[in-house]
Amino acid sequence: MKITEKQILEWLEEVKDPEIPVLSLIDLGVITGVELDDHRVKVNMTPTFSGCPAMDYMRNDVIRVLKEKGIEEVEASVSFETQWNSNMISEKGKKALKEFGLAPPQTYEVIVDINMLTHVKCPFCDSENTELKSPFGPTLCRSLHYCNNCLQAFEQFKPL
Amino acid sequence: MNTEAIIDLLYKIADDQLIIGHRNSEWTGLGPILEEDIAFSSMAQDKIGQSLVLYRMLNDLGESDPDTIAFMRNADQFHCCQFVELPIGEFDFSIIRQFLFDTSEIIRFEMLSSSAYEPLALASKKFKGEIKYHIMHANIFMKQLGNATEESVKRLQDALETAMPYALGIFETSEYEDAMMDEGIFAGEATLRNKWTERIEEVISNTALKLPDIGNIEPKTGGRYGKHTAHLQPLLDEMAEVLRIDPGADW
């Protein structure tokens, strides 16, 4: 059977963000391309944040899963050539984030207006009567918020 | 392209990031409120992560591997400015330093986003998006504490006076300024300093603080050429403590 790019991408659906286990790397948008030739596969990846310590885990998981599927030679290469931004999270991914209890990043045009952090929609009750507690949270990609409507603290996957 | 100039530029930026990152991490567990503990820890993680990207770039240009560069050099081999190595002091000093240093840094990466040296241009584009959140953090505190009580304004003002000579040392020129400008690698420290002055003036004008007379302050220089304060070596010793006890340690 000849392996196709589509098949590889389907297999990679199994690889999840280690810090957000409901979100696949495909939906997160960190897989930027797949190159195939016979028995060799090269997966191109780009980090969400440069200092993200999960990147090494993701890389190793990509290699592990593809080897388990029988591909002999797998390379996972991380670069800034195609740069990640939060608009690259798929609609499916955003839905998964919300169900996980994390407010998904808002889609933006051209550049992030940091003021969009001040009234993030609460993932629990959908109210916009919320406030930003801190632009930094438990991981580099999250900010801390509080909902004045349902009186619940929540986190957002930050727009970048 | 002038590789020596690029190596010099990469070292000073990477060393700045590594050292300020470690200083930021000293707030872990000590922040005045939980959110600040987390904020400084997160900024530390960003900056150390960015230094790793730059050390890898140096490795690609023939320098040692990132861990060796980061942990095996002595103070006189570091190219960071003296500003980043100063102890964290009290929260007022750390906020002022974060404001002054990070503002210079985001402008530097904005400028380098169009560098003729492609790997640095790509990384800079990435970094400036991340540092936007650091600037947001600094500016919120400048605005709030800079307009709050007599004590908060006085503390920030005193910290600003102490910090300014060191902050101006960020812009110490290298011997490659002209070469870098000619080849489109970097538009130079003088341009950076001018842009920085405008930007910090704007933020300070919305507070009760007074910007010191920058033109009449002697910058604390030397850092870019390996001349450091007595604070750097103990920091490096602490960073490399485990490595020196057990060079093969793995976890």
Side-chain angles (χ1 to χ4, degrees), chain A residues 47-48 50 53 83 112 137 159, chain B residues 38 42 45 122 126 130 132-133:
Chain A
T48 51
S50 318
Q83 300 207 343
V112 176
Chain B
I38 297 170
S42 297
Q45 200 182 347
L122 286 173
K126 182 76 188 162
E130 296 165 350
K132 211 182 237 187
Y133 285 101

Side-chain angles (χ1 to χ4, degrees), chain A residues 1-5 7-9 11-12 34-43 62-75:
Chain A
M1 186 189 78
K2 190 159 165 48
I3 298 162
T4 62
E5 187 182 331
Q7 177 67 71
I8 301 283
L9 291 175
W11 284 337
L12 288 178
V34 171
E35 294 168 33
L36 289 167
D37 94 64
D38 293 334
H39 294 287
R40 234 184 109 262
V41 174
K42 185 179 173 210
V43 180
V62 164
I63 295 171
R64 183 183 50 79
V65 165
L66 293 184
K67 287 207 161 159
E68 278 171 12
K69 300 292 179 190
I71 296 169
E72 286 159 22
E73 266 187 71
V74 185
E75 188 192 339

Side-chain angles (χ1 to χ4, degrees), chain B residues 32-225:
Chain B
I33 52 173
L34 180 64
E35 285 82 355
E36 280 316 289
D37 197 306
I38 297 170
F40 271 96
S41 307
S42 297
M43 292 190 287
Q45 200 182 347
D46 270 333
K47 288 175 198 298
I48 293 171
Q50 291 159 355
S51 77
L52 176 59
V53 172
L54 298 166
Y55 288 136
R56 283 195 182 127
M57 229 178 267
L58 279 164
N59 190 213
D60 291 339
L61 291 171
E63 298 295 294
S64 302
D65 72 279
D67 281 345
T68 305
I69 300 180
F71 298 117
M72 300 298 277
R73 284 178 298 158
N74 284 316
D76 59 3
Q77 295 167 294
F78 267 76
H79 302 269
C80 53
C81 59
Q82 294 182 359
F83 194 26
V84 293
E85 70 207 39
L86 299 178
I88 55 174
E90 297 208 19
F91 193 65
D92 48 48
F93 178 77
S94 278
I95 285 294
I96 285 287
R97 172 163 59 183
Q98 203 233 320
F99 166 63
L100 296 174
F101 178 76
D102 288 12
T103 302
S104 81
E105 182 178 67
I106 200 165
I107 301 169
R108 191 185 290 278
F109 290 130
E110 285 164 8
M111 289 165 70
L112 288 170
S113 293
S114 55
S115 172
Y117 183 55
E118 185 78 10
L120 184 55
L122 286 173
S124 299
K125 242 172 92 185
K126 182 76 188 162
F127 297 168
K128 69 178 183 181
E130 296 165 350
I131 295 170
K132 211 182 237 187
Y133 285 101
H134 303 201
I135 297 294
M136 179 193 203
H137 176 266
N139 289 357
I140 287 174
F141 270 96
M142 287 300 289
K143 204 170 161 192
Q144 291 191 343
L145 293 179
N147 291 302
T149 64
E150 204 176 307
E151 186 191 356
S152 74
V153 172
K154 185 180 183 308
R155 275 174 170 268
L156 283 194
Q157 186 68 46
D158 289 349
L160 188 59
E161 312 276 344
T162 311
M164 196 51 85
Y166 289 95
L168 295 173
I170 298 172
F171 313 108
E172 179 175 16
T173 52
S174 84
E175 54 187 299
Y176 302 104
E177 298 292 313
D178 291 340
M180 287 193 292
M181 281 187 265
D182 288 347
E183 296 197 46
I185 297 166
F186 177 51
E189 298 296 334
T191 307
L192 173 58
R193 177 174 157 159
N194 288 338
K195 288 177 190 249
W196 173 83
T197 308
E198 272 174 37
R199 226 175 279 183
I200 62 160
E201 263 172 0
E202 193 195 321
V203 175
I204 288 177
S205 71
N206 290 312
T207 67
L209 303 171
K210 283 184 193 65
L211 186 67
D213 182 8
I214 290 180
N216 284 319
I217 295 173
E218 185 67 31
K220 297 272 190 190
T221 54
R224 304 300 187 196
Y225 295 88

Side-chain angles (χ1 to χ4, degrees), chain A residues 86-144:
Chain A
S86 53
N87 286 345
M88 286 155 79
I89 301 179
S90 70
E91 283 311 312
K92 180 164 147 264
K94 286 184 180 170
K95 206 166 151 263
L97 283 173
K98 187 170 186 286
E99 280 163 10
F100 188 61
L102 272 177
Q106 302 94 322
T107 307
Y108 60 88
E109 311 261 338
V110 199
I111 54 164
V112 176
D113 175 3
I114 214 122
N115 292 317
M116 66 167 66
L117 259 78
T118 47
H119 298 294
V120 170
K121 200 191 239 183
C122 171
F124 303 112
C125 74
D126 290 331
S127 168
E128 284 181 6
N129 181 17
T130 68
E131 54 192 271
L132 171 67
K133 285 296 186 188
S134 172
F136 298 101
T139 68
L140 289 182
C141 52
R142 305 190 204 179
S143 47
L144 301 177

